[in-house]
Amino acid sequence: MDLQKHAQQPGTAPRTAELRASDADRDRTADLLREALAEGRLTADEHAERVEGVLAAKTVGELEVFIQDLPIAHQRRAAHASVPSRPTAGAIPVDPDDNVVAVFSAATRKGRWRTGRRIHAYAVFGSVEIDLSEALFDHQQVMIKAFSVFGSVEIRVPENVSLRGMGGGVLGAFEVDTLDATDDEAPVVYVDGWAVLGSVEARPRRGKLVADILDRVQRKVDRSMRRHLGH
């Protein structure tokens, strides 16, 4: 990649396929390949060869190559297209439902708690941890405004929600792993804000799922089965 050429075009945003892949991106792709092996879509040799390529992949586009002939790839594209990059107008209030502040200290929100529609996080020479992996989602769209100044804000979400990032960094790191839910009723978590000489990081927590989404999916299956059986 010609970094100098890209630096001369600051207004041009990189395509998703050109973005650098994270360890979480590689793990998710490897999980999909393991599911394809279990379903008989890949042979053991094909699975081993693709996993080796996934571990060596540098960009999101390189990862997509290894699953592009699998049904899950098309499902993920449909989910990605259906989730807007920004919240629906009027869906998020201006004032926060919750403030998490750490000034020369540490602050945490985790465990079983109810998320509002808007959460503000401020880390000034401190650290903030917001863990939504066991949270109760009362709203389909949740906005987290994160501001880090010489500090860190760490955000974790369940694997079965959608995750979008809109912020940036000034001599700092603003990193959000884009996540696409397969259920169209799943919550969408938007992370916005700035990292100034600090860091803002948002990633899925492996193995954690929003339970009520699973309940809704099971209810759909039950209704479908009842219709099929004529009940």
Side-chain angles (χ1 to χ4, degrees):
M1 180 182 292
D2 189 346
L3 296 179
Q4 186 176 10
K5 180 179 178 181
H6 278 264
Q8 294 172 352
Q9 300 175 341
T12 303
R15 295 178 301 170
T16 300
E18 297 173 344
L19 296 176
R20 300 286 290 189
S22 68
D23 288 340
D25 293 328
R26 296 184 188 91
D27 288 344
R28 283 194 293 273
T29 305
D31 287 344
L32 295 176
L33 292 175
R34 186 166 56 248
E35 291 175 10
L37 174 65
E39 293 170 353
R41 301 183 188 277
L42 296 175
T43 66
D45 289 341
E46 289 172 332
H47 174 260
E49 181 181 356
R50 295 193 187 198
V51 168
E52 183 178 354
V54 165
L55 296 177
K58 300 297 184 183
T59 67
V60 173
E62 290 175 9
L63 290 177
E64 292 294 333
V65 170
F66 297 104
I67 59 172
Q68 64 183 0
D69 59 346
L70 301 175
I72 188 64
H74 302 283
Q75 295 171 11
R76 290 176 63 188
R77 291 192 192 103
H80 180 80
S82 66
V83 177
S85 60
R86 294 185 176 276
T88 305
I92 307 296
V94 176
D95 297 324
D97 299 305
D98 193 7
N99 286 300
V100 188
V101 181
V103 180
F104 289 98
S105 62
T108 303
R109 288 286 189 280
K110 63 180 181 179
R112 201 68 169 163
W113 61 292
R114 290 188 177 278
T115 68
R117 285 176 294 177
R118 189 183 190 95
I119 303 168
H120 283 186
Y122 302 91
V124 182
F125 289 95
S127 63
V128 169
E129 178 187 359
I130 298 177
D131 190 342
L132 304 177
S133 61
E134 297 181 3
L136 299 173
F137 287 83
D138 290 331
H139 307 281
Q140 203 267 337
Q141 298 184 57
V142 176
M143 167 67 78
I144 299 178
K145 294 282 285 188
F147 300 94
S148 171
V149 181
F150 289 98
S152 65
V153 177
E154 180 181 292
I155 300 164
R156 294 293 181 264
V157 302
E159 283 191 306
N160 58 340
V161 305
S162 292
L163 179 63
R164 296 288 185 270
M166 302 177 291
V170 179
L171 298 178
F174 189 98
E175 300 179 356
V176 177
D177 282 355
T178 297
L179 184 64
D180 295 308
T182 57
D183 187 346
D184 56 6
E185 295 185 12
V188 183
V189 178
Y190 295 95
V191 179
D192 195 4
W194 289 93
V196 181
L197 293 168
S199 65
V200 174
E201 176 188 280
R203 304 183 190 281
R205 187 173 291 284
R206 307 294 294 175
K208 294 294 185 178
L209 304 174
V210 179
D212 60 341
I213 295 178
L214 301 179
D215 292 341
R216 288 200 296 270
V217 172
Q218 185 60 50
R219 287 197 295 270
K220 287 181 180 179
V221 172
D222 292 342
R223 287 197 298 270
S224 177
M225 287 296 294
R226 285 197 296 270
R227 286 197 299 269
H228 179 71
L229 296 173
H231 294 293

